[in-house]
Amino acid sequence: MPTYSAPDGTLLAYHDHGPGDGPPVVCLPGGPQDSAYLGDLGGLPAHRQVITPDLRGTGRSEIPRDMASCRCDRLVGDVEALREHLGLDRMDLLAHSAGANLAVLYAGRHPERVRSLALIAPSVRAVGLAITGELRRETVQPRRDEPWFPAAFAALEAIGAGKATADHWKAIAPFSYGRWDEAARAHQAAGDERMNGEVVAAFGAEGAFDPDATRAALARFAQPVLLLAGEVDPGAPPVTMAEFAGLFPNAELVVQPGAGHFPWLDDPGRFVATTAAFLGRTAPEAP
């Protein structure tokens, strides 16, 4: 597995999904957790080489001596070190869920190094948007006829009321997938096993985010931006994703029908068609 050195000497690993055409797309995972949960993003490497790093403290990357270095804003240096290691002057940057926080911080700090930005079911912590409990409940209503819905909806209401327990968080897992089938359950279980609570806590620790500064930087980010939302994803509802897209001067929002938080699992063909088309429009011309 290829590795590179972070600015503080921590050895970091990444997966190289080739051979795809054109320059690589760097994809930042959510969690933060082992990037293995991304798989091959529904087959995206058939169109472009895809690089998925394991953020420090996750997967094959080293656990740093100082866990405070796992804070989201401090990971920007790791992304820049990866770009330099790959020999890229500019890169297409794709990010999922919590990884979008890191992606927008990087884009704000190094806009000249980003050719395009694709945010998949992105977290909104770095830009300070609010997702109300009412909006989350409205977003999942199209699934009310599914057999697991009553228990999951009750758990969602308890979480929104500030009464969350571990069982409640487990009960809402079906909302993250367009189909709560055996494959989805296996994907969810594997993700739970990969999660390191200490790294997660450090990622979002106090001081990690300055929404006003980030929003100001994104308002000056002129490169093309794609926001892809799952139609029934309460974690990144389309209404909020439209608000997120409005923070950029050159962004488009695509809502994938019937998709949850992992749209490449729910409909790989549609996800890849949307993402590859966007990346194709922003790719440099061959010499």
Side-chain angles (χ1 to χ4, degrees):
M1 187 176 201
T3 59
Y4 68 104
S5 181
D8 65 355
T10 302
L11 191 65
L12 304 177
Y14 64 93
H15 304 257
D16 185 344
H17 305 271
D21 296 328
V25 178
V26 174
C27 179
L28 304 178
Q33 62 172 292
D34 183 344
S35 66
Y37 83 93
L38 295 168
D40 69 350
L41 286 167
L44 187 60
H47 300 267
R48 289 284 292 273
Q49 181 186 9
V50 175
I51 302 293
T52 55
D54 287 345
L55 303 181
R56 61 172 56 213
T58 73
R60 300 290 183 87
S61 290
E62 286 185 344
I63 296 176
R65 292 187 296 272
D66 179 10
M67 287 302 294
S69 69
C70 293
R71 204 173 75 177
C72 184
D73 58 322
R74 295 171 179 167
L75 297 179
V76 170
D78 292 354
V79 178
E80 176 65 357
L82 176 58
R83 181 196 63 80
E84 294 176 347
H85 171 78
L86 296 172
L88 300 174
D89 180 59
R90 303 172 74 206
M91 62 181 171
D92 294 307
L93 191 60
L94 185 150
H96 174 245
S97 193
N101 296 309
L102 176 54
V104 297
L105 293 185
Y106 180 87
R109 195 178 302 178
H110 299 286
E112 75 286 355
R113 298 302 187 186
V114 181
R115 180 183 297 109
S116 68
L117 181 63
L119 305 177
I120 312 303
S123 165
V124 296
R125 292 186 67 185
V127 293
L129 298 179
I131 305 175
T132 66
E134 181 181 3
L135 177 57
R136 295 187 198 275
R137 293 191 294 272
E138 290 176 357
T139 301
V140 301
Q141 280 302 314
R143 313 193 69 182
R144 58 186 174 273
D145 292 332
E146 300 195 40
W148 47 262
F149 183 88
F153 191 76
L156 186 65
E157 289 188 307
I159 292 169
K163 302 176 181 178
T165 66
D167 287 341
H168 289 137
W169 287 111
K170 184 176 180 180
I172 66 168
F175 287 136
S176 293
Y177 299 86
R179 294 179 305 278
W180 186 237
D181 54 16
E182 184 176 347
R185 289 191 288 272
H187 185 265
Q188 177 68 30
D192 289 344
E193 289 180 2
R194 295 187 188 106
M195 201 72 74
N196 181 323
E198 189 176 2
V199 174
V200 172
F203 182 84
E206 184 177 356
F209 306 118
D210 183 345
D212 289 341
T214 300
R215 290 165 69 128
L218 298 183
R220 300 187 296 269
F221 185 80
Q223 291 88 318
V225 179
L226 168 69
L227 281 94
L228 194 155
E231 180 185 22
V232 292
D233 178 14
V239 170
T240 307
M241 295 302 98
E243 189 178 356
F244 201 158
L247 301 179
F248 298 93
N250 185 20
E252 63 175 302
L253 170 66
V254 174
V255 178
Q256 184 169 311
H261 202 60
F262 306 95
W264 65 91
L265 296 177
D266 297 326
D267 188 339
R270 187 184 289 269
F271 172 81
V272 170
T274 299
T275 307
F278 170 75
L279 294 171
R281 293 196 299 273
T282 63
E285 294 184 3

